[in-house]
């Protein structure tokens, strides 16, 4: 089997061995290793960088440079590797709802539907802190545990499915996907909105997450959040130095001090200023 250098680098970086025949153990290992090593983040979006969806560019950015990315990058990398290894995979697009079931959301999230031995699975390496760390069987209305979280999939009719996660002892709808056929051209449309439209969530927030088997790390604007089996802890980030240290030590992302300062002034300082005014009133 011959893989492109980009896919071989991806496979080698995660220290994975290709099985003789496609199996779910490999897919589980791939998804778990991916979300624990490569951060989901909005850095390139908020810094106004050009974000290519070409496979070589994605591999260079995520694997070689360790800069992470968002769904259209992460899930393409995973999809292309599984496809090259002979897995039956289909590209699907989803509407991110975040429990607002009445929201008119566009298809701005990419996922993979994998079928093995007659069973279908949802594979998603690009949904950040709420995303699963393991494939989820397309078993309707059945709780499934993946790391710290419990999920279920609901059939909504007309070939649509909702992915839900347990939050505060209740089901929280993350996104809705369907069985339509999609291509990279469809991804380009969702990608363009996600990193160019002023109303897109990625342009308005600084977000960086890593998801491990027993711990989730998340930087969301001025908060650094850790979650494990003991619960959730939040820490306020009150200086650009602290922001830079967290990015480097927790997410292995080293940015120039001037870039960190820019991010702090743009995303953290306004929140901190509002909090200070509120504390005085």
């Amino acid at each position: 089997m011959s893989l492109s250098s980009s896919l071989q680098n991806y496979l080698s970086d995660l220290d994975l061995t290709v099985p003789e025949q496609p199996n779910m153990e490999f897919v589980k290992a791939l998804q778990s290793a991916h979300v624990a090593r490569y951060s989901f983040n909005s850095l390139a979006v908020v810094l106004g960088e050009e974000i290519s969806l070409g496979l070589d560019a994605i591999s260079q950015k995520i694997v070689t440079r360790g800069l992470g990315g968002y769904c259209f990058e992460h899930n393409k990398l995973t999809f292309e590797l599984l496809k090259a290894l002979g897995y039956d995979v289909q590209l699907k697009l989803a509407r991110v709802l975040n429990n607002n079931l009445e929201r008119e959301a566009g298809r701005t999230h990419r996922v993979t539907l994998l079928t093995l031995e007659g069973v279908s699975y949802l594979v998603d390496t690009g949904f950040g802190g709420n995303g699963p760390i393991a494939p989820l069987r397309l078993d309707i209305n059945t709780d499934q545990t993946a790391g710290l979280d419990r999920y279920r999939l609901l059939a909504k009719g007309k070939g649509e499915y909702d992915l839900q996660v347990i939050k505060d002892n209740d089901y929280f709808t993350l996104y809705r996907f369907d069985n339509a056929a999609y291509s990279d051209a469809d991804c380009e449309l969702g990608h363009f909105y996600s990193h160019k439209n002023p109303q897109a969530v990625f342009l308005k927030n600084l977000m960086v997450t890593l998801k491990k088997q027993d711990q989730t790390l998340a930087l969301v604007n001025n908060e650094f959040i850790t979650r494990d089996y003991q619960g959730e802890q939040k820490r306020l980030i009150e200086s650009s130095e602290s922001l830079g240290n967290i990015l480097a030590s927790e997410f292995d992302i080293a940015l120039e001090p001037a870039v960190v300062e820019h991010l702090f002034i743009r995303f953290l300082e306004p929140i901190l200023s509002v909090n200070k005014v509120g504390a005085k009133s």
Side-chain angles (χ1 to χ4, degrees), residues 39-51 61 66-70 73 195 202-203 205-209 219 243 247-248 251-255 259-260 262-264 266-267:
S39 67
F40 173 92
N41 68 65
S42 63
L43 287 170
V45 177
V46 299
L47 292 174
E49 298 175 358
E50 289 301 315
I51 304 174
K61 177 172 179 270
L67 295 177
Y70 71 163
E73 299 167 282
H195 79 295
F202 297 112
L203 272 166
N205 294 278
L206 177 62
M207 298 179 289
V208 190
T209 65
L219 189 160
L243 174 61
L247 287 171
F251 301 102
D252 199 24
I253 298 175
L255 300 178
V259 175
V260 176
H262 166 78
L263 293 172
F264 180 82
R266 181 174 167 190
F267 292 101

Side-chain angles (χ1 to χ4, degrees), residues 7-264:
L7 292 178
Q8 186 58 60
N9 287 344
Y10 176 36
L11 189 68
S12 299
D13 193 54
L14 295 181
D15 197 24
L16 297 175
T17 301
V18 178
E20 292 184 5
Q21 297 294 329
N23 64 57
M24 283 309 299
E25 290 308 310
F26 174 81
V27 181
K28 290 176 183 178
L30 172 63
Q31 184 165 345
S32 176
H34 183 117
V35 298
R37 183 167 180 79
Y38 306 130
S39 67
F40 173 92
N41 68 65
S42 63
L43 287 170
V45 177
V46 299
L47 292 174
E49 298 175 358
E50 289 301 315
I51 304 174
S52 170
L53 295 189
L55 180 59
D56 291 345
I58 293 173
S59 181
Q60 176 71 16
K61 177 172 179 270
I62 292 178
V63 180
T64 305
R65 300 175 64 201
L67 295 177
Y70 71 163
C71 73
F72 291 107
E73 299 167 282
H74 286 291
N75 277 316
K76 175 160 185 174
L77 190 57
T78 302
F79 176 91
E80 294 295 344
L81 177 61
L82 291 171
K83 181 180 177 182
L85 294 178
Y87 287 85
D88 179 359
V89 288
Q90 299 175 56
L91 188 169
K92 301 299 178 185
L93 292 180
R95 303 179 188 274
V96 178
L97 300 176
N98 283 329
N99 224 36
N100 184 352
L101 303 185
E102 305 303 317
R103 181 185 175 202
E104 294 184 354
R107 293 184 176 90
T108 58
H109 182 56
R110 171 180 180 151
V111 299
T112 298
L113 191 65
L114 180 147
T115 303
L116 184 65
E117 297 178 350
V119 180
S120 294
Y121 301 84
L122 175 68
V123 179
D124 189 349
T125 55
F127 200 70
N130 286 322
I133 69 167
L136 300 175
R137 287 175 61 117
L138 216 61
D139 292 343
I140 304 308
N141 203 21
T142 302
D143 278 10
Q144 302 180 60
T145 300
L148 295 172
D149 297 303
R150 282 194 295 135
Y151 300 89
R152 74 174 180 181
L153 287 154
L154 294 183
K156 303 301 293 182
K158 299 181 181 178
E160 291 187 321
Y161 301 89
D162 280 2
L163 175 64
Q164 298 182 320
V165 66
I166 294 286
K167 276 192 173 189
D168 299 323
N169 297 314
D170 200 2
Y171 289 103
F172 182 98
T173 301
L174 298 174
Y175 56 76
R176 180 172 297 164
F177 65 98
D178 59 52
N179 263 326
Y182 295 101
S183 69
D184 282 342
D186 297 299
C187 292
E188 288 286 355
L189 293 175
H191 169 54
F192 183 82
Y193 172 86
S194 296
H195 79 295
K196 292 295 185 183
N197 191 295
Q199 298 307 311
V201 66
F202 297 112
L203 272 166
K204 297 192 292 184
N205 294 278
L206 177 62
M207 298 179 289
V208 190
T209 65
L210 278 175
K211 194 150 189 182
K212 304 176 183 180
Q213 186 71 31
D214 56 1
Q215 185 185 56
T216 299
L217 304 175
L219 189 160
V220 183
N221 294 321
N222 71 321
E223 290 185 334
F224 176 58
I225 305 161
T226 59
R227 185 166 65 92
D228 55 27
Y229 287 111
Q230 279 68 54
E232 182 177 279
Q233 299 82 39
K234 293 184 179 180
R235 188 173 101 202
L236 290 181
I237 306 171
E238 299 183 300
S239 69
S240 61
E241 291 79 9
S242 179
L243 174 61
N245 289 337
I246 289 172
L247 287 171
S249 63
E250 302 293 347
F251 301 102
D252 199 24
I253 298 175
L255 300 178
E256 292 292 330
V259 175
V260 176
E261 179 73 16
H262 166 78
L263 293 172
F264 180 82

